């Protein structure tokens, strides 16, 4: 498919041309990383030379490619200035290395070079990861896991995510000839062109492995069939509040074209946060029970309807650097005005992080 990904999916599958695009908010997962533990092949450790959990060279390349598709959709048609104007573009990232590196590679593809051919990379804002409750999932609280403990009959209050993974492997892992302990390794290494996994590993990673990973990430996020209000607010409540604030600012824009709010805000985060946000904004089914791809992005476009001057939000998914921009149909037979979207998501928005509570062991 190419032709620059069908001209970035016909300029991000935008709404009717007479409606004015006011702002774009992008919630995006980091690029291809090394597995968190284990290796799928004897060569894996050399290919992923930065170590476990770190961005690979292939990941850097794929992130850059993803950025080029966003450039075609929003920059080449002069919606956003390619010279980089600080009031137009805001970038914030989780402080984890793979997110910060992804943010730099993604934005490197958006803007013109200087006259001396040096790249223009905008400021990338971040908090220390231990204090970032907007873009960095915090899964080490002892409370908020009551449903998971009950589901898997867990009694130890510590490190519930790890215990849940072990329990889920016993009940849901069905890839023959593939050790369950490699579930993260085979999925993480699958996109890398330099990795040549055995056929059984590759076949598992393509479908069953990604669906197993989805079940686990959904559980961590507190989303979907594992909905838990406390976990989902911890993982995405602050980001939800930020997005709603951004929609409201665009909705109040008085100039035409709108020059009062940033044209684009980019939030680099993790799969847990992305699935939580998808649940909160009612578009979780678009992932089809498969874990988000590396560099997958939920794109929130805020438009002003020039007919009645109302504003509405259209949500797109670009699930990695290769797929097209895909409408999530969040507006299908629904009111997608800023007011309606805000009303639906507002119960999950928080303005301060939720502190952990100690749970006494049974």
């Amino acid at each position: 498919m190419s032709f620059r990904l069908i001209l970035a999916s016909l300029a991000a599958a935008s709404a009717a041309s007479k409606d004015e695009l006011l702002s774009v908010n992008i919630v995006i997962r980091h690029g291809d990383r090394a597995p968190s533990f284990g290796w799928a092949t004897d060569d894996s450790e050399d290919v992923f030379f930065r170590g476990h959990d770190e961005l690979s060279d292939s990941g850097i390349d794929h992130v850059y490619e993803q950025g080029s598709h966003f450039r075609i959709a929003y920059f080449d048609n002069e919606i956003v200035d390619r010279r980089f104007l600080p009031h137009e573009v805001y970038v914030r990232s989780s402080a984890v290395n793979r997110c910060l590196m992804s943010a730099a590679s993604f934005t490197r593809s958006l803007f013109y070079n200087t006259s001396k051919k040096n790249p223009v990379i905008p400021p990338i804002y971040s908090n220390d990861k231990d204090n970032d409750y907007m873009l960095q999932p915090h899964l080490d609280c002892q409370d908020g896991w009551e449903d998971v403990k009950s589901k898997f009959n867990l009694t130890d209050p510590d490190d519930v995510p790890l215990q849940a993974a072990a329990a889920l492997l016993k009940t849901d892992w069905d890839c023959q000839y593939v050790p369950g302990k490699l579930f993260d390794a085979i999925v993480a290494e699958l996109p890398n062109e330099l990795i040549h996994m055995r056929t059984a590993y590759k076949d598992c990673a393509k479908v069953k492995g990604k669906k197993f990973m989805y079940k686990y990430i959904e559980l961590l996020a507190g989303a979907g069939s594992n909905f838990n209000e406390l976990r989902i607010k911890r993982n995405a409540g602050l980001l939800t509040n930020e997005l709603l604030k951004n929609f409201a600012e665009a909705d109040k824009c008085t100039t035409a074209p709108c020059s009062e709010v940033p044209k684009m805000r980019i939030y680099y985060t993790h799969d847990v946060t992305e699935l939580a946000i998808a649940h909160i904004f009612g578009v979780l089914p678009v992932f089809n029970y498969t874990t988000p791809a590396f560099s997958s992005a939920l794109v929130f476009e805020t438009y002003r309807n020039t007919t009645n001057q109302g504003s509405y939000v259209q949500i797109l998914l670009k699930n990695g650097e290769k797929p097209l921009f895909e409408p999530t149909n969040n507006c299908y037979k629904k009111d997608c005005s800023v007011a309606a979207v805000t009303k639906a998501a507002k119960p999950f928005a928080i303005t301060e992080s939720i502190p952990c509570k100690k749970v006494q062991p049974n």
Side-chain angles (χ1 to χ4, degrees), residues 1-15 66 69-70 72-74 301 314 316-318 322-327:
M1 173 181 350
S2 204
F3 188 49
R4 297 302 294 181
L5 216 67
I6 314 300
L7 285 183
S9 312
L10 299 179
S14 42
Q66 178 74 305
H69 298 149
F70 277 83
I72 295 168
Y74 299 107
E301 297 179 332
Q314 173 176 272
L316 310 172
L317 171 68
K318 191 169 184 307
K322 293 180 180 178
L324 299 173
F325 288 86
E326 175 186 353

Side-chain angles (χ1 to χ4, degrees), residues 46 54 122 187 209 213 233 270 292 303 306 357:
D46 291 331
E54 299 293 346
V187 173
M213 183 70 79
K233 283 183 176 180
H270 305 263
Y303 284 91
T306 55
K357 292 182 180 177

Side-chain angles (χ1 to χ4, degrees), residues 39-314:
W39 301 109
T41 77
D42 292 338
D43 298 325
S44 298
E45 192 168 4
D46 291 331
V47 173
F48 297 97
F49 54 86
R50 293 188 180 93
H52 283 117
D53 270 332
E54 299 293 346
L55 205 66
S56 64
D57 276 4
S58 176
I60 293 171
D61 293 338
H62 291 162
V63 168
Y64 185 90
E65 183 180 349
Q66 178 74 305
S68 71
H69 298 149
F70 277 83
R71 189 200 72 229
I72 295 168
Y74 299 107
F75 289 73
D76 287 355
N77 56 13
E78 299 182 351
I79 293 175
V80 187
D81 198 313
R82 286 201 64 193
R83 296 173 298 174
F84 174 62
L85 306 180
H87 67 276
E88 284 195 346
V89 178
Y90 171 83
V91 186
R92 180 165 175 172
S93 173
S94 160
V96 174
N97 289 347
R98 58 186 179 273
C99 286
L100 288 166
M101 292 176 68
S102 295
S105 184
F106 181 89
T107 54
R108 167 67 184 86
S109 69
L110 300 178
F111 302 104
Y112 292 128
N113 289 336
T114 68
S115 59
K116 293 187 176 181
K117 308 300 181 184
N118 291 313
V120 173
I121 299 175
I124 299 171
Y125 297 94
S126 186
N127 282 346
D128 178 85
K129 64 182 181 181
D130 291 334
N131 297 310
D132 181 6
Y133 293 90
M134 179 182 289
L135 298 176
Q136 173 67 29
H138 287 264
L139 305 172
D140 52 357
C141 290
Q142 292 184 339
D143 61 325
W145 299 100
E146 292 74 21
D147 57 322
V148 178
K149 293 176 184 178
S150 176
K151 181 176 182 178
F152 296 115
N153 195 27
L154 305 178
T155 57
D156 187 346
D158 294 323
D159 208 348
V160 175
L162 184 60
Q163 295 180 69
L168 199 61
L169 283 170
K170 292 179 180 178
T171 59
D172 289 67
W173 185 254
D174 61 352
C175 283
Q176 194 175 15
Y177 308 122
V178 184
K181 64 183 180 181
L182 293 181
F183 77 89
D184 181 65
I186 62 172
V187 173
E189 296 185 36
L190 180 66
N192 195 295
E193 297 88 346
L194 299 179
I195 293 295
H196 303 287
M197 286 190 285
R198 60 185 69 177
T199 301
Y201 286 19
K202 186 179 294 186
D203 289 345
C204 174
K206 286 179 179 177
V207 181
K208 292 182 178 180
K210 289 181 179 180
K211 289 189 177 294
F212 176 86
M213 183 70 79
Y214 175 91
K215 290 179 183 179
Y216 183 52
I217 299 303
E218 183 190 69
L219 182 149
L220 297 181
S225 60
N226 291 284
F227 174 73
N228 179 285
E229 184 176 355
L230 180 55
R231 282 206 306 283
I232 204 168
K233 283 183 176 180
R234 274 200 177 121
N235 287 315
L238 288 174
L239 182 54
T240 298
N241 189 70
E242 174 97 348
L243 292 171
L244 295 182
K245 177 178 67 68
N246 295 346
F247 302 159
E249 288 179 356
D251 185 43
K252 295 175 183 177
C253 191
T254 59
T255 58
C258 180
S259 59
E260 299 169 16
V261 298
K263 296 289 183 71
M264 179 174 285
R265 293 180 173 100
I266 303 167
Y267 299 93
Y268 254 100
T269 186
H270 305 263
D271 49 5
V272 170
T273 305
E274 187 175 16
L275 281 189
I277 285 292
H279 178 112
I280 289 169
F281 285 92
V283 298
L284 190 60
V286 76
F287 286 105
N288 194 29
Y289 304 103
T290 301
T291 193
F294 292 122
S295 292
S296 60
L298 287 169
V299 186
F300 298 80
E301 297 179 332
T302 305
Y303 284 91
R304 175 161 50 197
N305 186 305
T306 55
T307 302
N308 58 22
Q309 296 302 306
S311 300
Y312 61 94
V313 178
Q314 173 176 272

